[in-house]
Amino acid sequence: MSETAWNSGVDTEIVERARALRDLIAGEAEQGQADRQVTQRVLDAMDRERLLNMLVPQRLGGPGANVRTMIEALIELGKADASACWTAALLNACTWFCLAFSDRAQQDIWGDDPNAKACGIFIPGTTRRVEGGYLLSGEYPYASGNSSAGWATLGMLIEGPDGAPVMAMGIVPRSHWTVKDTWYTLGMRGTGSNTLVVEDAFVPDHAVMTFADLGEGRYETSHFDTEPISRAAFLPVGTVIHATSAIGAAKAALEYTLEKLPHRPVAYTIYPESRNSPTHHLAVAQAASSIDAAHLLIARACDDIDDYAARGEYPGALARARMRMDTSHAATLCRDAIDLLMTANGAGAFAEKSLLGRIWRDANTGGRHSFATPEIGSEVYGRVLLGADDPISIPV
């Protein structure tokens, strides 16, 4: 996609590359579950097809995709394996975060490696001020995609202008962290979301930005005025990715159901085939409609992110809060749709080795991420809609 056509819609070539990997990814998913890590074969394939750094602009050697294209490609990955989708989603978003930083920081990352990628965690570590920067220490759980990342965008607490601590983000190279094996879960087993351990890692001033500046679009890159992707809204981009695995998994569950269910008998009823059962008609129709609605919500949110960036505007609090709500509502719609399909398919769907069982576990685990939690999205969106005294109690 050329820079001039950046906001012209979905780059179907990138999405087709993701779709072409579905058989490979699906075939490796069980091994990824056992390893608690997406297999190297899958990681290499996604990397080879440039699906782990889709938002990196062409000037840095990246594909130069827009946010909508990234989301559509991630959903295709999610149809094959939610863990692979989640891993790719977090790598794409955290790598994109680095575009907000100074040109010097970008040179550190991409100067010698145009395929560089980052993982990241917002939880703040502790810092000590030293000449030229900070020494950062802390443990960072749930660092999805860390095995493929050469860098990490990590939360920090630094001293603000008035002396009070403020949240910041620093960029840390792989050589400054170790990995603690902590990822033992019921769902999303294949994401390898282990804990990064950092001890007195030096983070230079040019690789540090406050969350206040990031959240309001006060980026340090010199490309802010000339490159749409370098001025896209920070938290909305980091939020919408969290619905992609749910949408992809729900679509896979529906495909499976439409293939397997129609001619299956309904036990202890007069229906020798489920395709003639009104109960199953209602369940499948409601699930399909909910999955469509979830996809449409996220598509709208991504189109809005891209449109604001193309116009050179930063979305206001109401728009950002709605995008947060769109994400959590989409994830909830998909989780509910999968529940309906599990019931329609019967108790056998919950077998440990069942595809539907894995989809159900993954959707219920990923749907509990804070960016996908419906109560949080509803609270912040409702506060802004009703004009509460302190409308932004949660960053958006």
Side-chain angles (χ1 to χ4, degrees):
M1 178 179 289
S2 69
E3 298 291 357
T4 56
W6 182 82
N7 193 41
S8 62
V10 176
D11 188 331
T12 56
E13 191 272 334
I14 291 176
V15 178
E16 285 298 323
R17 294 208 306 265
R19 186 176 294 123
L21 294 181
R22 282 186 60 183
D23 288 346
L24 168 65
I25 295 172
E28 296 279 309
E30 280 303 313
Q31 187 62 50
Q33 296 278 296
D35 296 344
R36 297 177 295 110
Q37 170 69 62
V38 175
T39 68
Q40 194 61 50
R41 189 179 179 204
V42 169
L43 290 170
D44 289 345
M46 293 193 296
D47 198 17
R48 184 172 58 250
E49 297 299 332
R50 310 304 303 276
L51 299 173
L52 302 180
N53 62 346
M54 288 181 270
L55 300 185
V56 175
Q58 293 172 3
R59 66 177 170 86
L60 293 172
N66 59 16
V67 177
R68 176 70 186 280
T69 295
M70 175 187 69
I71 293 297
E72 297 297 337
L74 290 172
I75 289 171
E76 290 300 319
L77 300 178
K79 291 178 184 178
D81 178 22
S83 290
C85 172
W86 189 276
T87 299
L90 270 294
L91 284 167
N92 273 282
C94 294
T95 302
W96 172 80
F97 291 158
C98 299
L99 294 179
F101 284 74
S102 67
D103 292 3
R104 184 177 175 186
Q106 293 184 38
Q107 180 63 27
D108 290 345
I109 297 167
W110 286 288
D112 295 323
D113 182 9
N115 199 34
K117 293 170 287 293
C119 61
I121 294 293
F122 287 173
I123 297 169
T126 59
T127 59
R128 178 163 57 90
R129 182 68 174 159
V130 295
E131 184 178 354
Y134 301 87
L135 293 180
L136 173 65
S137 296
E139 293 199 1
Y140 294 88
Y142 317 125
S144 306
N146 69 81
S147 67
S148 296
W151 301 82
T153 54
L154 301 179
M156 307 169 59
L157 279 177
I158 65 174
E159 185 176 305
D162 60 356
V166 298
M167 277 286 293
M169 176 183 283
I171 303 175
V172 178
R174 186 177 188 86
S175 59
H176 286 22
W177 80 67
T178 57
V179 178
K180 182 186 289 188
D181 187 10
T182 56
W183 189 245
Y184 295 85
T185 59
L186 293 175
M188 290 293 187
R189 293 176 185 170
T191 62
S193 301
N194 287 304
T195 299
L196 303 188
V197 180
V198 178
E199 295 182 8
D200 285 339
F202 177 68
V203 187
D205 287 328
H206 70 264
V208 177
M209 288 188 67
T210 68
F211 270 92
D213 284 342
L214 288 166
E216 294 296 331
R218 296 187 293 269
Y219 303 163
E220 294 184 357
T221 174
S222 69
H223 298 274
F224 187 90
D225 292 329
T226 59
E227 195 171 71
I229 194 58
S230 290
R231 56 175 178 259
F234 174 68
L235 271 180
V237 173
T239 298
V240 293
I241 59 165
H242 290 91
T244 56
S245 60
I247 296 171
K251 286 176 178 286
L254 181 61
E255 287 180 4
Y256 178 93
T257 299
L258 295 179
E259 178 186 354
K260 303 290 187 181
L261 186 62
H263 300 292
R264 188 183 300 161
V266 184
Y268 308 112
T269 74
I270 63 170
Y271 298 108
E273 293 185 312
S274 297
R275 67 191 181 95
N276 292 318
S277 162
T279 297
H280 290 76
H281 298 163
L282 297 174
V284 172
Q286 181 59 60
S289 184
S290 293
I291 296 165
D292 284 346
H295 197 161
L296 289 168
L297 279 171
I298 289 301
R300 179 184 68 169
C302 293
D303 286 343
D304 284 350
I305 292 169
D306 289 338
D307 287 344
Y308 274 106
R311 296 196 305 268
E313 301 175 13
Y314 203 80
L318 179 60
R320 302 199 311 268
R322 197 210 71 214
M323 293 170 193
R324 176 72 174 258
M325 181 71 191
D326 286 347
T327 301
S328 60
H329 192 40
T332 301
L333 285 169
C334 288
R335 196 171 67 215
D336 292 347
I338 291 168
D339 281 350
L340 285 170
L341 296 174
M342 295 295 284
T343 300
N345 281 277
F350 289 89
E352 184 177 356
K353 295 298 184 180
S354 163
L355 170 63
L356 290 179
R358 170 160 56 84
I359 287 172
W360 182 78
R361 293 192 301 271
D362 287 344
N364 276 275
T365 301
R368 266 65 183 187
H369 190 283
S370 59
F371 283 140
T373 303
E375 293 81 6
I376 295 176
S378 297
E379 177 192 346
V380 68
Y381 189 39
R383 291 179 71 87
V384 177
L385 283 171
L386 290 175
D389 291 337
D390 184 15
I392 301 297
S393 56
I394 301 164
V396 291

